[in-house]
Amino acid sequence: MSNIDSSFSSSIEKFYINGELFSGELVVPDGVICIRENTFSGFQMLKSITLPDSVTKIEKNAFSECTNLRKVNIGKGITELDEKTFKNSRIETLTITKNLKIIKPNSFENCTIKKVVFEGTRSEWGNISYSKDIVFANAEIVCSLSQQIFCIFFVNHFVLLLSIAEFIISSFVIFTFGGICSPLYINC
């Protein structure tokens, strides 16, 4: 079992990883499955963090009081965020996946999240359980996967896959020039 279990003093001025001065951008190595309680709490040098898909648990207060933390990318392994995980951090951009189903109360207490990039559709965003009036009240929610209707064309023995906008334009061109068109609609 691979865990990150440590506590940082907020008075650290220089921090080295593998002999190199830490720049503030932490990419947790693949294979780590848990970030333990208070691991990075108060670590002021932390500016951004990227968690791999292997991380399945982030415990309470793991990134609390990280006042310089601005960007968080949470991998596909996280399905639930514990209480006060990012309390009093200054996250501006949060990236999460559709696998995240539960955000417990106060996970982002006193955070200033401005933008949430959700790797899923708008309807999948609605499946996440969180306190809707507090957590993301002033944040821009960007769903990176949009639901689109596509048309599959069978035109003179050729198969085309087009978005609905492309279909409208192409239909006009095909019908104008006498092609044989049989559209089949699919919703993605």
Side-chain angles (χ1 to χ4, degrees), residues 10-23:
S10 59
S11 63
I12 293 175
E13 292 180 21
K14 290 184 179 181
F15 182 72
Y16 293 85
I17 297 178
N18 296 329
E20 294 188 28
L21 185 62
F22 179 65
S23 67

Side-chain angles (χ1 to χ4, degrees), residues 58-171:
I58 307 172
E59 293 183 355
K60 183 168 68 172
N61 290 313
F63 298 98
S64 65
E65 310 296 333
C66 293
T67 57
N68 291 312
L69 183 58
R70 299 290 185 264
K71 187 175 180 182
V72 175
N73 294 308
I74 297 176
K76 295 177 183 174
I78 298 296
T79 59
E80 182 176 308
L81 283 178
D82 217 333
E83 294 179 17
K84 302 181 181 183
T85 304
F86 295 97
K87 178 184 175 187
N88 294 325
S89 296
R90 302 290 182 256
I91 301 167
E92 293 178 356
T93 304
L94 173 67
T95 301
I96 57 178
T97 72
K98 63 184 176 183
N99 294 357
L100 180 62
K101 300 296 183 199
I102 299 170
I103 299 174
K104 289 189 177 177
N106 304 317
S107 294
F108 295 97
E109 183 178 334
N110 297 323
C111 288
T112 55
I113 299 173
K114 295 178 182 176
K115 182 177 183 179
V116 177
V117 177
F118 178 67
E119 295 177 356
T121 64
R122 183 63 69 178
S123 63
E124 290 168 328
W125 170 257
N127 295 332
I128 299 174
S129 172
Y130 65 92
S131 178
K132 295 184 181 358
D133 59 334
I134 299 171
V135 179
F136 304 117
N138 297 314
E140 172 190 7
I141 310 297
V142 178
C143 295
S144 64
L145 300 177
S146 60
Q147 285 185 311
Q148 294 186 16
I149 297 176
F150 289 94
C151 300
I152 298 176
F153 272 93
F154 301 97
V155 182
N156 296 339
H157 307 290
F158 292 99
V159 177
L160 304 172
L161 177 63
L162 303 172
S163 70
I164 196 68
E166 294 168 325
F167 168 72
I168 292 169
I169 295 168
S170 298
S171 293

